[in-house]
Amino acid sequence: QVQLVESGGGLVETGDSLSLSCVASGRTFSRDTMGWFRQVPGKEREFVAATWRATGYTYYADSVKGRFAISRDRAKNTVYLQMNNLKPEDTGVYYCAAAPTIILSNIREARGYDYWGQGTQVTVSS
């Protein structure tokens, strides 16, 4: 059974940091593109960050560039999202996702990801 399990969310104050983890199991994810998305009620799921399967290059939404960092440990089937200088607008449910065959031009598109976790809530108070 393929599973992605996120952890590390919580309630923090503006300016604080959080580190999210996503452990994948059920198949090998070492060759997948891995991404983080977030969603708030009433809005579509929004791209946050991704790491490209072939090179490990990282891509970020403009809103988090310079504050968030995505990384992965291929041997552990784990991807991380370090979030610094958090803002209230970063509040949402954060989802980990895996894409075995996504093309690079679609890396920011949720529809290109085949596997999803259940999400972890991040709340940033002002």
Side-chain angles (χ1 to χ4, degrees):
Q1 181 182 359
V2 174
Q3 272 192 316
L4 299 176
V5 180
E6 304 95 336
S7 62
L11 171 62
V12 297
E13 296 183 348
T14 298
D16 285 350
S17 298
L18 274 178
S19 181
L20 305 183
S21 299
C22 170
V23 179
S25 61
R27 59 180 286 276
T28 299
F29 288 84
S30 60
R31 297 179 182 178
D32 288 13
T33 292
M34 301 297 294
W36 286 96
F37 290 76
R38 65 189 181 192
Q39 190 169 24
V40 296
K43 290 191 175 182
E44 291 189 356
R45 201 161 290 190
E46 173 190 29
F47 171 77
V48 175
T51 177
W52 178 240
R53 62 175 179 267
T55 61
Y57 287 170
T58 55
Y59 300 84
Y60 298 94
D62 288 342
S63 59
V64 307
K65 202 172 295 182
R67 300 188 297 121
F68 290 13
I70 186 172
S71 61
R72 71 188 298 174
D73 185 330
R74 293 180 192 263
K76 295 182 178 180
N77 263 357
T78 302
V79 63
Y80 307 94
L81 185 68
Q82 177 64 40
M83 305 186 293
N84 299 324
N85 190 22
L86 283 160
K87 304 176 180 180
E89 52 264 42
D90 295 318
T91 294
V93 178
Y94 281 69
Y95 297 92
C96 171
T101 60
I102 196 170
I103 59 175
L104 185 55
S105 59
N106 289 343
I107 199 170
R108 292 175 172 82
E109 303 294 329
R111 60 183 170 85
Y113 290 75
D114 299 296
Y115 304 100
W116 291 86
Q118 293 298 308
T120 185
Q121 176 70 45
V122 172
T123 303
V124 185
S125 63
S126 57

